[in-house]
Amino acid sequence: MRQWLEGLEARHGLDTLTERSRRLVLGSYVLLLLLMLYRGVAVQSEVVLGPLIAFVLPLVLFLPSILGRRPRGHAWLAFVSLLYFTQGVMVATLPGQGLRGLLEALVSLALFTGCMGYARFRSRQLRAA
């Protein structure tokens, strides 16, 4: 895996890979945030702030790290995204919730991949500078 990543870095360059992973992080972060807002608002008959805050707050706490382009914050967000992946897989097993759960699992997996890529490529980019 390490050799594959180093070959990828040699072919495309750190700047390109960092920018691609950043776009993946931003896109999947916004999608996951929207999915969690949808889950907290539209799925229930009335808006209850407790579950809404529980779903959205962990993502919002990482917003300064994303905007500040900090590799360590992205690495931690990758670990948190695995909780959303697990939740999405569990929701996908519920009757009538398969598509929403699958979408949540796929988006959180994309967030994990983007965050881990960004953390690696950005930290190597900063080390080289």
Side-chain angles (χ1 to χ4, degrees), residues 19-122:
E19 189 56 38
R20 285 181 184 174
S21 58
R22 171 110 174 122
R23 280 185 286 195
L24 181 60
V25 167
L26 291 175
S28 56
Y29 178 82
V30 168
L31 276 174
L32 189 58
L33 194 59
L34 289 173
L35 279 171
M36 292 301 104
L37 286 172
Y38 173 76
R39 180 176 184 169
V41 174
V43 173
Q44 300 171 356
S45 59
E46 60 184 46
V47 177
V48 181
L49 286 180
L52 180 63
I53 291 172
F55 293 136
V56 173
L57 185 63
L59 290 173
V60 172
L61 290 175
F62 285 98
L63 193 57
S65 291
I66 290 175
L67 295 177
R69 298 176 181 238
R70 292 191 291 264
R72 182 170 281 183
H74 282 76
W76 279 105
L77 179 58
F79 296 128
V80 170
S81 72
L82 293 177
L83 296 172
Y84 289 98
F85 174 77
T86 305
Q87 176 181 309
V89 170
M90 289 180 2
V91 169
T93 62
L94 297 174
Q97 300 293 320
L99 183 61
R100 188 173 60 87
L102 182 64
L103 187 60
E104 185 178 331
L106 289 175
V107 169
S108 62
L109 190 61
L111 182 61
F112 174 80
T113 305
C115 283
M116 289 308 292
Y118 184 81
R120 176 187 171 90
F121 301 135
R122 180 69 177 153

